[in-house]
Amino acid sequence: MTDKLWGGRFTAKAAKWVDQFGASIGFDQQMAQEDLEGSLAHVAMLGQQGIIPQADADTITAGLHQLQQQLAAGELTFTVANEDIHLNMERLLTDLIGPVAGKLHTARSRNDQVATDFHLWLRHRLPELMQALSDLQSVLVAQADQHADTIMPGYTHLQHAQPITYGHYLLAYFEMFQRDYERFAFNQQHTDILPLGAAALAGTTFPIDREFVAAQLGFSAVYHNSLDAVSDRDFALEFLSNAAILMQHLSRLAEELILWCTYEFNYIEMSDAFSTGSSIMPQKKNADFAELTRGKTGRVYGALMGLLTTMKSLPLAYNKDMQEDKEPVFDAYTTILGSVHIFTGMLDSLTVHEERMHDATIRDFSNATELADYLATKGVPFRKAHAIVGELVLHGLQTGQSLQDMPLADLQAAAPEIDQDVYAELSSEAAVNRRTSLGGTAVANVRQEVSQARALLAAR
């Protein structure tokens, strides 16, 4: 017989290296506090329901509280021999209060126990992540307000397209992170369901009270199917999917910031606190933290694909494969929380070269659409206006003239409808402020969106 808590029907011991391969204590010890929380709620129910004597429940509860204190003090030692956090805690409790500790496992299995721990772990951490996103959004709003009228090139295909404002640009990411926030808020709904009481897969013969346990642990609902309770990892997949989308947003922003602080763009400069240098080139100032976040995106994508692949063909109910569910979630959580904090500090401290941004819109022909729109208001069909302006752009490229520098006679030679008033509409400021349609880049729009964004954040 082995010395495992489950080893009654076994006659041979596994080799040490086999135990090490099968053990999860190396990572699931991160759920130690959640394991104790779940056990405290479970034993309270066992005592209340008369499933075990109240005196035994009180002894076990006292022992669990003592383990909580030791855990907080860093005094608990876990071993691979006890495989996972659940068996480690049971062994530690047994050493503390004796054989009565064995009654704690009445009417539960490690299958519903680990699912409960996992739900608790993520439920405890989602609010911290959502607060971090709110902090990042607050910085974006503050910067957007400050730069509501800072004109810069807007891009499509990484080519100058039309003038926008830096504030308008920042609010685009505010919207992305708002959707991220809402996805994690929805994720809470599926995390806030209690699996405990499903036992191994079929429920239990004991007269348990699952609603009592849910109330003790603060869950708003319980799983209504015992098979689903122990085999569901949708809440973890949702989290990783949300995390991957969040990292995609951060990676897009990182790419632009990396480009914009290069010598060629010079739109912004990173704070020294979020930059590094070169070991050989003294002049270098690298946007390493933006680059690192961009790189960590692949790590989070990998976590999502890994768990999707793990779960894709698993029959009901619990399978040992599902031991692979926690590491990617733990790692992704640490990665995205750190990345959000980095971007919050990085955006709050960077320097914006407003004049450089504005100057980049002067001779880039990004006002070509303004001229086409002008002609359309004069009755020229837009497709014809588009062709006329295209020819004027070609003429400007060949002669080194911008549209606003061309003599009126040259403009009228291409389109007699053009008059002197055209020049007032070809400035970058006019191009920006004429775009007052809902969602447009006009300064007044940006200020209104800033106000609405602040109201949204204040309501949380």
Side-chain angles (χ1 to χ4, degrees):
M1 177 175 164
T2 75
D3 57 359
K4 303 288 187 184
L5 290 173
W6 44 259
R9 60 97 69 209
F10 288 78
T11 58
K13 287 186 177 182
K16 185 177 180 180
W17 69 268
V18 174
D19 279 345
Q20 289 174 335
F21 183 81
S24 60
I25 188 60
F27 53 86
D28 68 13
Q29 62 184 280
Q30 293 187 50
M31 302 189 302
Q33 180 58 42
E34 286 76 17
D35 196 71
L36 291 170
E37 287 178 28
S39 290
L40 281 165
H42 183 67
V43 74
M45 182 273 296
L46 293 177
Q48 176 188 269
Q49 296 296 104
I51 296 172
I52 66 174
Q54 188 59 52
D56 289 346
D58 292 343
T59 299
I60 293 170
T61 297
L64 291 170
H65 282 309
Q66 189 171 342
L67 289 178
Q68 280 185 321
Q69 294 169 4
Q70 292 175 336
L71 178 65
E75 296 172 356
L76 295 184
T77 301
F78 307 120
T79 67
V80 169
N82 290 318
E83 299 180 29
D84 55 34
I85 189 60
H86 325 296
L87 294 186
N88 267 274
M89 283 300 186
E90 186 171 344
R91 181 72 75 183
L92 289 167
L93 184 64
T94 301
D95 292 344
L96 201 60
I97 65 174
V100 69
K103 294 187 177 184
L104 173 60
H105 208 56
T106 306
R108 78 174 180 184
S109 162
R110 278 190 296 175
N111 294 357
D112 60 342
Q113 188 179 356
V114 67
T116 300
D117 289 2
F118 202 11
H119 276 263
L120 281 170
W121 187 93
L122 189 55
R123 199 188 70 182
H124 286 163
R125 285 157 180 80
L126 281 172
E128 182 181 2
L129 174 58
M130 293 166 68
Q131 181 58 55
L133 278 170
S134 292
D135 294 342
L136 174 57
Q137 288 181 287
S138 295
V139 167
L140 286 166
V141 170
Q143 292 292 315
D145 190 18
Q146 181 180 344
H147 294 285
D149 58 358
T150 299
I151 293 175
M152 64 172 290
Y155 294 85
T156 64
H157 307 277
L158 208 55
Q159 302 290 326
H160 285 214
Q162 292 175 302
I164 61 170
T165 71
Y166 183 55
H168 188 61
Y169 163 82
L170 292 173
L171 289 178
Y173 281 99
F174 176 91
E175 297 292 342
M176 293 184 208
F177 296 131
Q178 177 60 23
R179 293 192 293 273
D180 291 322
Y181 183 95
E182 292 169 1
R183 275 185 282 268
F184 285 116
F186 183 75
N187 193 189
Q188 288 183 305
Q189 296 182 36
H190 292 157
T191 304
D192 195 23
I193 309 174
L194 176 69
L196 203 61
L201 78 160
T204 178
T205 58
F206 292 97
I208 61 174
D209 186 342
R210 296 186 65 204
E211 286 76 13
F212 173 85
V213 177
Q216 290 282 299
L217 292 172
F219 282 98
S220 61
V222 299
Y223 278 90
H224 285 268
N225 184 284
S226 58
L227 288 168
D228 185 43
V230 297
S231 64
D232 171 38
R233 292 300 184 270
D234 287 358
F235 69 99
L237 288 167
E238 282 181 4
F239 171 77
L240 290 176
S241 176
N242 298 343
I245 296 171
L246 168 59
M247 288 301 291
Q248 177 234 134
H249 292 156
L250 288 173
S251 184
R252 294 180 72 179
L253 179 54
E255 175 71 9
E256 289 171 326
L257 295 179
I258 292 162
L259 285 172
W260 290 357
C261 66
T262 60
Y263 180 84
E264 288 76 12
F265 280 82
N266 196 29
Y267 291 170
I268 62 170
E269 181 178 351
M270 293 288 189
S271 164
D272 288 356
F274 294 95
S275 305
T276 64
S278 164
S279 64
I280 187 172
M281 295 168 284
Q283 85 283 6
K284 291 297 294 297
K285 184 176 182 180
N286 301 324
D288 272 10
F289 291 95
E291 292 175 3
L292 186 57
T293 303
R294 185 177 59 183
K296 286 180 179 290
T297 301
R299 181 177 187 141
V300 176
Y301 287 3
L304 171 60
M305 292 308 300
L307 187 53
L308 282 170
T309 304
T310 295
M311 297 297 298
K312 77 174 183 67
S313 299
L314 293 187
L316 294 177
Y318 183 82
N319 299 272
K320 186 69 167 177
D321 314 49
M322 293 165 70
Q323 182 171 292
E324 294 295 305
D325 59 358
K326 286 167 282 297
E327 278 189 288
V329 170
F330 294 166
D331 184 75
Y333 179 81
T334 301
T335 299
I336 63 175
L337 185 63
S339 298
V340 170
H341 285 320
I342 285 291
F343 267 76
T344 302
M346 195 161 58
L347 287 167
D348 193 37
S349 61
L350 62 77
T351 300
V352 180
H353 297 159
E354 299 177 16
E355 186 175 348
R356 168 61 183 158
M357 281 185 170
H358 181 275
D359 288 350
T361 69
I362 300 301
R363 304 184 63 82
D364 63 345
F365 296 98
S366 61
N367 56 358
T369 304
E370 306 312 306
L371 183 51
D373 286 349
Y374 172 88
L375 287 171
T377 64
K378 297 289 187 177
V380 179
F382 184 80
R383 282 300 170 205
K384 182 178 179 182
H386 186 287
I388 291 169
V389 177
E391 292 173 0
L392 285 170
V393 169
L394 177 59
H395 174 69
L397 290 169
Q398 292 170 340
T399 61
Q401 293 177 303
S402 62
L403 293 174
Q404 62 270 29
D405 291 335
M406 289 182 186
L408 182 59
D410 289 359
L411 296 174
Q412 290 178 330
E417 295 84 358
I418 297 177
D419 206 344
Q420 186 69 38
D421 61 349
V422 73
Y423 293 105
E425 301 196 22
L426 292 179
S427 71
S428 298
E429 289 77 9
V432 164
N433 285 306
R434 290 177 67 240
R435 277 164 172 73
T436 57
S437 59
L438 180 61
T441 189
V443 173
N445 286 29
V446 173
R447 296 205 186 281
Q448 183 178 4
E449 292 298 324
V450 163
S451 177
Q452 292 175 356
R454 282 186 167 143
L456 186 152
L457 292 172
R460 288 183 182 166

